[in-house]
Amino acid sequence: MKPYNPHEIEPRLQQAWAEHDLYKVDETSTKPKKYVLEMFPYPSGDIHMGHVSNYTYGDVVARYSRMQGFNVLHPMGWDAFGLPAENAAIKHHSHPAVWTYQNIDTQMASFKRMGFSYDWDRTVMTCNPDYYRWGQWIFLKMWERGLVERRNSPVNWCPDCATVLANEQVIEGRCWRCNSEVEKRDLTQWYLKITDYAQELLDDLDQLKGWPERVKQQQANWIGRSEGAEVDFELVPKEGEAASADPELITVFTTRADTLFGCSFFVLAPEYEGLHDLVAGTEYGKPVMELVEAAKKISALERAQGDHEKHGVFTGRYVINPINGERVPIWVADYVIADYGTGAVMAVPCGDQRDFEFARKYDLPIIPIILSEDDPLYPELKDQEARVVTSVDWPEAYAAEGYLVQSGPYTGMLGGKHSPGEEAVVKTLEETGRGRRSVQFRLRDWLISRQRYWGNPIPAVHCEHCGVVPVPEEQLPVMLPEDIDLAAGETLATHEAFVNTTCPVCGKPAKRETDTMDTFTCSSWYYMRYTDPHNDKLPFDPAKANAWMPVDQYIGGIEHAILHLLYSRFFTKVLRDEGMLDFDEPFENLLCQGMVLDSHGEVMSKSKGNVVSPEEMIAGYGADAVRAAMLFMGPPDKEKLWNEDGLAGMYKFLCRIWRQVYDLVGDAGEETLYQEGATPEQAQASLDTLVRERHRVVGKVVDDFARNNFNTAIAAIMELSNAIGDYVRRCSAAERQASEFSREFDIEVAEVLVKLMAPIAPHWADELWQTALGHTDSVHTQAWPTYDLDKAKADEVELAVQVNGKVKARITVAADAQNDVIEASAREAVATDLDGKDVKKVVVVPGRLVNIVAK
RNA sequence: GCCCGGGUGGUGGAACGGCAGACACGUCGGUCUCAAAAACCGAUGCCGAAAGGUGUGCGGGUUCAAAUCCCGCCCCGGGCACCA
């Protein structure tokens, strides 16, 4: 027997696999396709345990799929643009590319050392001009389609990263990358109109049967669809000004048009456009503008922390409530968000907690117009159409469904979101032309411009005469200049050779756009590039993308539940509308792996000094043990607490089954596990068990792999190993080769064991396949073992016998015994427990138990 | 506040409504050894000497039978959040 030495076999086999192009995609294959993909890494340094777990899951799926007869695409690449590279360049007075490519080399070596089965000929690095030119190309297509916009608005600015951020990149008022507090700034920026796809992005979540519910829920939350109505309020002219024939309107969005009778004031956001004109020249101008200034100072962080006091001032102006003609005062308050709905709200303090709090603070009337039946006011107001109670003093607003009162013709109707009352009011508004159905989304357009160097340049030119114009397709890529000294404070904007160009429309001197695109644009389509990575005419050949896509199994971290996964869905839909793709969704099945934490459940970080190094683990036990230990730790979507004891245990298991394989093939030499002393009956029983386990376990592993339950698959293989252990211990080699204990069977079991382990411990398995089992090819090109569940069945089964639900005895019966036979046997077994009792009912569950109900 | 997950031995975790704790780690005992390690065997939810009792966050319910289904709570994790 050759001893198990991972440090010798792993590098040797990795080299052999590479030499034989074992994992290279065969484009001519007629096998069904399977696209297995893990989210590509950011080259931030060497790999960490999170990478090990993520890419191990993917590798198991890929290897298993190959053995199952699929033509597997399993590529790897790097999301290589981004700020950390720039920071490193500044620190080391070098270029971001140097740091990036060094890290890519390191990570690639680690991935190879883990034995991951990638087709390395398809590697994509997003900072390579061959790749990013197509990102620019897609941007131009979006521009043509009207999905690119430049506009001025308040944006999130990270002072430390010195760039703007997308909404999705602000976590509780802080930068997703550096955790700095985000500021609001008014800037002109580039946007992708993802909101054009809001409805489809929401609707198509239903198609994603293979996605975790929580991810779909998070996306639905983020998109935030809300159904309601727009209502037009007429602006009352300033005091002393004449009424116009065509009065100005201020429109609000509301989901509760049914509460219009309870509107006792009206609120504008401090950033409301036209606010200045409303108060200009009046005594209210000064306090209003003071509030506007104060509101600017409230940081996003403070807003995110919730529970702030509301501030507001009266504008001196009024609007007319379109449902009852009442004059309503207009206030400005910092609790109204400028960029949701219309930036104006009708305030109904009796039904909305925010309006309620504001009304209390500023002593505005709280008109009861919707009540629950058990409200003490209800009997009095039940039939009141006209207003008899002008204000109430409740402890809180009544936001639930209830009955409308003091609401003119709607009195008595049921009110609430999507209620008959709401529908009736909206119908009236529509008929009178004062309102209409409307849907609002929480989702904002995607701000993609970044004021950074290490990213994909936005292909646009600013011309004095022609305005902002796209760079023509044939001039792509707009290359990032390589001669830049970031440490000396140079930026794209100061790089004259880059900035100065000519206008592609009029040919006169013009300036290049100097912002780059958010790195998330690069990662929004890389999975399509893998299907055709060397194409120099298009981002990808639609035929190839349509053949490979959608990704059958996508694997990555939950932190991308919104960001990357939402953006990728958006890009896919745009490219479909562009005619390049014939599917709606890029990722058929999604596995979100849980974080790998230290043994105390803490996040691993350099500052805590608790980082576990994959390299050290491999150096200690080999890549196969690391892979298997990670898989065995628990379900992939749960958090994993890494502990080295589990790794040591897995190494022992690999050693044990290594010996078992040699024992089964009869080449164990002195190291045979046989122990004398078993009776012929025991030997026979262990053989019978092994025959059944061989089939049962293969079936179980197939089921478990189908559900990504790698931990229970390994547990099942351990059970097979336990059965092998009993067998080789009790039956001597001579016995096993005698007629009934056939050598063929021993070899079959050994081969089954090796194949089951092949996706999990690929080096271990391939070495045994070739050395112990004497094959000349690789186990990774073999077919997955077959199984027959009929052969997994025992002749006899043990059943539990319960009396009134409690186990009192056990009986052994023939597997195919009839229920009456089982019942008789069961009654006999618990005769003493039934003594003096009346049997009311007997439930026989074949193969499991018998429950006798007796009194 | 709203929306998702999740609470099972000392630990990681298993359980189509059908014997709770598979499979491991750990611990204890044994074999081997001068000894130790390794390897192998056995025990191991809790209480109890045993018989037996008890047990899946808490309280109810449905069922012959509930970790699993239903109702009401508690706790932990995540997402959204002044979104009208």
Side-chain angles (χ1 to χ4, degrees):
Chain A
M1 182 185 98
K2 187 187 159 171
Y4 175 53
N5 179 3
H7 307 294
E8 187 271 320
I9 65 175
E10 290 180 356
R12 175 163 51 75
L13 285 168
Q14 283 155 15
Q15 202 181 338
W17 296 338
E19 278 164 14
H20 291 94
D21 283 332
L22 207 59
Y23 308 117
K24 195 170 167 172
V25 176
D26 175 10
E27 294 266 4
T28 64
S29 170
T30 54
K31 294 174 183 173
K33 71 98 182 178
K34 188 164 253 184
Y35 189 175
V36 180
L37 182 66
E38 301 103 59
M39 290 181 189
F40 64 169
Y42 180 76
S44 56
D46 203 355
I47 63 166
H48 52 67
M49 293 311 278
H51 292 117
V52 168
S53 121
N54 195 54
Y55 299 126
T56 298
Y57 295 137
D59 199 50
V60 171
V61 175
R63 288 179 180 278
Y64 173 61
S65 300
R66 282 189 204 99
M67 293 180 81
Q68 285 225 309
F70 288 97
N71 186 28
V72 172
L73 172 57
H74 188 219
M76 173 50 70
W78 278 270
D79 188 11
F81 274 136
L83 198 48
E86 266 186 75
N87 293 338
I90 292 168
K91 195 171 161 192
H92 301 118
H93 214 285
S94 86
H95 191 274
V98 174
W99 182 86
T100 302
Y101 283 109
Q102 262 172 12
N103 285 341
I104 288 175
D105 284 348
T106 310
Q107 292 194 347
M108 189 187 292
S110 294
F111 290 152
K112 289 181 174 171
R113 186 61 191 84
M114 282 299 296
F116 296 143
S117 59
Y118 298 121
D119 180 348
W120 288 107
D121 289 346
R122 290 176 182 251
T123 300
V124 160
M125 299 173 195
T126 59
C127 63
N128 188 325
D130 293 343
Y131 180 79
Y132 70 66
R133 75 176 285 190
W134 299 115
Q136 295 173 4
W137 186 91
I138 293 170
F139 178 87
L140 294 179
K141 294 293 165 197
M142 289 187 172
W143 202 342
E144 279 170 24
R145 302 185 70 78
L147 292 168
V148 172
E149 241 180 45
R150 243 170 85 78
R151 65 173 107 101
N152 182 278
S153 60
V155 296
N156 303 302
W157 172 268
C158 173
D160 284 352
C161 297
T163 186
V164 297
L165 299 170
N167 267 4
E168 288 80 7
Q169 291 163 337
V170 180
I171 317 289
E172 294 192 343
R174 292 178 180 276
C175 172
W176 69 295
R177 183 128 56 190
C178 70
N179 209 34
S180 308
E181 200 174 315
V182 166
E183 298 167 5
K184 283 278 174 196
R185 289 198 179 179
D186 280 318
L187 292 170
T188 300
Q189 295 292 321
W190 294 84
Y191 291 85
L192 294 184
K193 291 176 73 182
I194 190 172
T195 53
D196 281 11
Y197 286 84
Q199 187 66 55
E200 199 195 339
L201 287 166
L202 183 66
D203 290 344
D204 286 359
L205 289 173
D206 288 343
Q207 286 185 28
L208 302 174
K209 306 278 184 242
W211 280 39
E213 205 51 46
R214 61 179 168 150
V215 174
K216 291 192 274 186
Q217 204 73 47
Q218 276 185 42
Q219 291 214 356
N221 261 339
W222 187 260
I223 296 167
R225 184 179 198 272
S226 164
E227 285 176 18
E230 286 179 346
V231 184
D232 301 329
F233 285 66
E234 259 177 42
L235 183 64
V236 176
K238 272 184 196 164
E239 223 171 304
E241 283 180 17
S244 148
D246 184 18
E248 207 178 315
L249 297 175
I250 301 183
T251 303
V252 298
F253 172 75
T254 179
T255 56
R256 293 296 303 277
D258 55 307
T259 63
L260 215 37
F261 277 82
C263 174
S264 56
F265 57 104
F266 193 90
V267 196
L268 302 177
E271 301 85 1
Y272 187 82
E273 221 177 310
L275 174 61
H276 187 265
D277 292 343
L278 285 183
V279 294
T282 73
E283 58 182 296
Y284 298 97
K286 192 162 169 262
V288 165
M289 287 306 141
E290 276 169 10
L291 182 100
V292 169
E293 286 308 308
K296 277 189 191 162
K297 294 206 177 75
I298 300 176
S299 68
L301 186 63
E302 272 177 87
R303 278 183 168 256
Q305 278 163 352
D307 280 1
H308 359 253
E309 198 177 333
K310 297 169 175 55
H311 307 274
V313 287
F314 178 46
T315 62
R317 304 293 301 271
Y318 294 87
V319 284
I320 302 296
N321 185 336
I323 205 81
N324 58 9
E326 273 185 25
R327 209 169 73 133
V328 181
I330 305 177
W331 286 62
V332 183
D334 55 12
Y335 75 94
V336 176
I337 296 164
D339 63 353
Y340 183 77
T342 61
V345 301
M346 59 176 233
V348 182
C350 89
D352 182 285
Q353 189 60 21
R354 295 154 300 180
D355 299 342
F356 180 85
E357 284 164 14
F358 192 80
R360 277 203 155 178
K361 177 167 176 184
Y362 292 101
D363 210 17
L364 294 157
I366 301 167
I367 308 162
I369 47 88
I370 180 161
L371 299 171
S372 84
E373 272 177 299
D374 15 287
D375 193 287
L377 267 178
Y378 186 70
E380 181 191 339
L381 296 180
K382 197 167 165 298
D383 306 311
Q384 282 296 339
E385 291 188 14
R387 188 174 302 156
V388 296
V389 177
T390 53
S391 196
V392 291
D393 195 18
W394 291 330
E396 59 181 12
Y398 181 76
E401 277 204 337
Y403 291 93
L404 297 175
V405 295
Q406 306 199 122
S407 296
Y410 311 99
T411 298
M413 295 180 98
L414 189 65
K417 282 191 181 180
H418 307 291
S419 62
E422 194 259 0
E423 291 193 2
V425 172
V426 173
K427 189 159 172 267
T428 305
L429 290 169
E430 280 178 332
E431 282 164 4
T432 55
R434 286 167 173 161
R436 63 214 67 88
R437 280 266 161 235
S438 171
V439 171
Q440 292 291 322
F441 292 94
R442 218 194 60 96
L443 182 70
R444 294 287 101 87
D445 279 333
W446 178 9
L447 197 175
I448 57 147
S449 42
R450 297 288 178 273
Q451 292 69 52
R452 302 300 318 189
Y453 165 75
W454 193 233
N456 191 0
I458 293 177
V461 170
H462 299 262
C463 171
E464 270 180 42
H465 313 281
C466 310
V468 184
V469 296
V471 172
E473 223 178 272
E474 58 278 8
Q475 288 178 24
L476 298 185
V478 175
M479 292 282 287
L480 265 187
E482 285 176 25
D483 57 328
I484 192 159
D485 188 351
L486 297 172
E490 267 195 89
T491 64
L492 275 186
T494 66
H495 193 289
E496 299 212 351
F498 178 78
V499 173
N500 293 318
T501 184
T502 51
C503 172
V505 179
C506 69
K508 289 179 186 152
K511 305 280 187 197
R512 273 196 199 285
E513 169 62 51
T514 57
D515 280 358
T516 53
M517 290 186 233
D518 183 0
T519 55
F520 279 93
T521 60
C522 300
S523 55
S524 292
W525 66 281
Y526 76 104
Y527 43 89
M528 250 91 78
R529 182 70 179 174
Y530 282 139
T531 67
D532 190 14
H534 308 296
N535 195 325
D536 59 2
K537 304 282 184 297
L538 283 171
F540 50 85
D541 175 355
K544 289 189 178 178
N546 286 328
W548 281 110
M549 292 289 294
V551 172
D552 293 276
Q553 180 66 66
Y554 199 33
I555 304 172
I558 184 72
E559 67 274 15
H560 287 109
I562 295 171
L563 288 155
H564 162 62
L565 291 169
L566 186 66
Y567 295 148
S568 294
R569 297 180 59 221
F570 165 57
F571 263 58
T572 299
K573 290 174 191 302
V574 173
L575 291 170
R576 174 204 60 196
D577 291 348
E578 185 64 28
M580 295 182 71
L581 301 173
D582 61 9
F583 52 91
D584 300 323
E585 287 287 339
F587 312 123
E588 186 102 4
N589 294 291
L590 175 67
L591 175 61
C592 283
Q593 63 148 354
M595 292 247 287
V596 182
L597 306 173
D598 77 2
S599 55
H600 306 290
E602 300 274 344
V603 176
M604 293 185 193
S605 72
K606 280 181 192 154
S607 57
K608 284 184 187 157
N610 61 349
V611 177
V612 175
S613 150
E615 291 293 338
E616 277 175 38
M617 297 298 122
I618 297 169
Y621 300 92
D624 282 339
V626 173
R627 294 166 58 114
M630 187 61 89
L631 293 167
F632 190 54
M633 234 160 1
D637 54 344
K638 278 191 79 167
E639 284 180 345
K640 289 157 278 270
L641 307 190
W642 178 261
N643 73 315
E644 213 175 316
D645 289 349
L647 177 59
M650 191 52 72
Y651 178 76
K652 281 196 235 172
F653 175 66
L654 291 179
C655 292
R656 183 160 71 241
I657 54 179
W658 176 278
R659 278 196 303 275
Q660 288 180 341
V661 169
Y662 273 99
D663 226 333
L664 284 168
V665 299
D667 194 18
E670 290 294 298
E671 288 155 288
T672 178
L673 297 164
Y674 176 66
Q675 292 174 356
E676 283 179 48
T679 63
E681 291 74 23
Q682 284 173 323
Q684 182 66 44
S686 61
L687 171 66
D688 293 344
T689 303
L690 184 57
V691 170
R692 291 195 299 270
E693 286 293 270
R694 175 249 173 273
H695 290 279
R696 183 189 69 85
V697 168
V698 176
K700 167 80 172 146
V701 172
V702 168
D703 285 351
D704 286 345
F705 276 0
R707 289 173 294 158
N708 298 325
N709 288 344
F710 309 115
N711 55 329
T712 51
I714 292 175
I717 297 171
M718 287 172 168
E719 287 172 314
L720 176 61
S721 163
N722 289 342
I724 295 171
D726 281 345
Y727 174 66
V728 296
R729 199 164 57 244
R730 286 174 176 171
C731 309
S732 70
E735 274 178 302
R736 289 196 268 123
Q737 289 184 33
S739 58
E740 215 203 336
F741 301 85
S742 88
R743 179 172 160 74
E744 272 164 42
F745 172 73
D746 285 10
I747 290 169
E748 190 202 333
V749 170
E751 295 203 348
V752 165
L753 177 62
V754 168
K755 285 179 177 179
L756 291 180
M757 286 300 289
I760 297 162
H763 315 86
W764 176 97
D766 214 12
E767 180 65 11
L768 286 172
W769 182 255
Q770 295 177 37
T771 308
L773 292 160
H775 297 283
T776 51
D777 51 3
S778 169
V779 73
H780 301 297
T781 59
Q782 305 305 309
W784 189 251
T786 56
Y787 61 100
D788 180 352
L789 288 184
D790 282 341
K791 292 185 179 154
K793 286 181 185 150
D795 299 338
E796 291 188 322
V797 288
E798 193 184 71
L799 304 183
V801 182
Q802 299 179 328
V803 176
N804 296 329
K806 296 208 179 218
V807 179
K808 293 291 181 187
R810 287 170 196 290
I811 53 172
T812 301
V813 298
D816 56 358
Q818 296 298 308
N819 282 5
D820 53 346
V821 177
I822 296 172
E823 185 180 328
S825 169
R827 280 175 183 261
E828 194 183 329
V830 293
T832 51
D833 295 281
L834 296 176
D835 216 15
K837 288 179 177 162
D838 252 5
V839 174
K840 301 283 185 199
K841 188 175 182 178
V842 178
V843 181
V844 178
V845 185
R848 300 222 179 247
L849 53 73
V850 181
N851 189 12
I852 300 174
V853 184
K855 279 210 170 150

